[in-house]
């Protein structure tokens, strides 16, 4: 394995061209590959909570014992990155044809709705869970109502939390965009339509 391939695998850099049946727009390819990197700061910021270090937060809920907090927080971070990595399947060949190593379905074409429906449901769920709008006075509007923002020891801790966790708010909408792009590309293949040539 060359150093270039290793760097591409670790950093999730987008390949020069797509390996899908129909080409993926370059901006969609970059967006999918950016998701694991965008979520990495929030996953790393969350890890100290496993060891009861509250990252400057005041008045937080009491944390459970280490035997609960360590596997929960680390598991949550790993699962978040794995789900973000699945976004890449919406722009690569393994999202159109199941990899050969998967039992029973390996090597078979993936039906568009088999990928689109879970992606749309997941995108909607992520939007509901993490979508919020600041309304002032330390409050945030979510689908669950208006809630109080976390308080911090000082502005530096608050700034760190905001920088690390801000990308998670766009996770759901990005998944919905990737699902729509996947569906439109696969629908074109299924119906035999060809995109109109670009003008100019």
């Amino acid at each position: 394995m060359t150093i270039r391939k290793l760097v591409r695998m670790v950093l999730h850099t987008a390949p020069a061209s797509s390996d899908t049946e129909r080409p993926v727009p370059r901006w969609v390819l970059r967006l999918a590959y950016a998701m694991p990197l965008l979520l990495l700061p929030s996953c790393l910021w969350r890890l100290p909570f496993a060891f009861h270090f509250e990252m400057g937060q005041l008045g937080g809920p009491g944390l459970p014992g280490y035997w609960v907090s360590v596997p929960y927080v680390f598991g949550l971070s790993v699962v978040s990155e794995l789900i973000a990595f699945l976004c890449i399947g919406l722009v690569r060949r393994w999202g159109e044809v199941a990899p050969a190593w998967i039992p029973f379905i390996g090597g078979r074409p993936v039906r568009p709705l088999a990928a689109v429906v879970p992606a749309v449901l997941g995108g909607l769920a992520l939007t509901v869970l993490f979508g919020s709008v600041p309304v002032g006075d330390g409050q945030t509007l979510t689908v669950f109502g208006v809630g109080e923002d976390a308080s911090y020891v000082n502005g530096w801790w608050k700034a760190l939390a905001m920088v690390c966790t801000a990308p998670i708010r766009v996770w759901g909408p990005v998944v919905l965009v990737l699902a729509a792009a996947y569906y439109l590309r696969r629908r074109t293949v299924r119906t035999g339509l060809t995109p109109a040539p670009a003008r100019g």
Side-chain angles (χ1 to χ4, degrees), residues 124-171:
L124 291 173
L126 292 169
T127 302
V128 167
L129 287 173
F130 301 116
S132 62
V133 178
V135 293
D137 293 330
Q139 295 183 324
T140 303
L141 176 65
T142 68
V143 295
F144 303 108
V146 177
E148 297 289 330
D149 289 340
S151 300
Y152 291 88
V153 174
N154 56 45
W156 293 106
W157 282 112
K158 185 174 183 177
L160 176 65
M162 289 179 64
V163 168
C164 290
T165 60
I168 207 167
R169 292 182 178 150
V170 300
W171 190 7

Side-chain angles (χ1 to χ4, degrees), residues 36-183:
L37 288 178
L38 286 174
L39 294 178
L40 187 58
S42 65
C43 291
L44 295 176
W45 176 82
R46 187 187 300 129
L47 294 181
F49 287 94
F51 303 100
H52 299 185
F53 183 74
E54 297 187 354
M55 298 297 286
Q57 286 188 359
L58 294 172
L63 295 170
Y66 290 121
W67 65 278
V68 173
S69 65
V70 170
Y72 173 74
V73 173
F74 276 81
L76 186 60
S77 293
V78 169
V79 169
S80 297
E81 278 297 306
L82 289 175
I83 293 172
F85 183 76
L86 288 177
C87 292
I88 297 174
L90 297 171
V91 297
R92 294 306 304 267
R93 182 75 176 159
W94 55 271
E96 297 181 359
V97 177
W101 55 267
I102 298 179
F104 306 113
I105 63 168
R108 295 184 180 180
V110 175
R111 293 186 178 184
L113 289 181
V116 171
V117 170
V120 168
L121 293 177
L124 291 173
L126 292 169
T127 302
V128 167
L129 287 173
F130 301 116
S132 62
V133 178
V135 293
D137 293 330
Q139 295 183 324
T140 303
L141 176 65
T142 68
V143 295
F144 303 108
V146 177
E148 297 289 330
D149 289 340
S151 300
Y152 291 88
V153 174
N154 56 45
W156 293 106
W157 282 112
K158 185 174 183 177
L160 176 65
M162 289 179 64
V163 168
C164 290
T165 60
I168 207 167
R169 292 182 178 150
V170 300
W171 190 7
V174 167
V175 172
L176 293 174
V177 168
L178 294 174
Y182 176 91
Y183 176 74

Side-chain angles (χ1 to χ4, degrees), residues 8-19:
R8 180 176 289 170
M9 184 177 71
V10 171
L11 297 180
H12 303 299
T13 54
S17 61
S18 62
D19 58 356

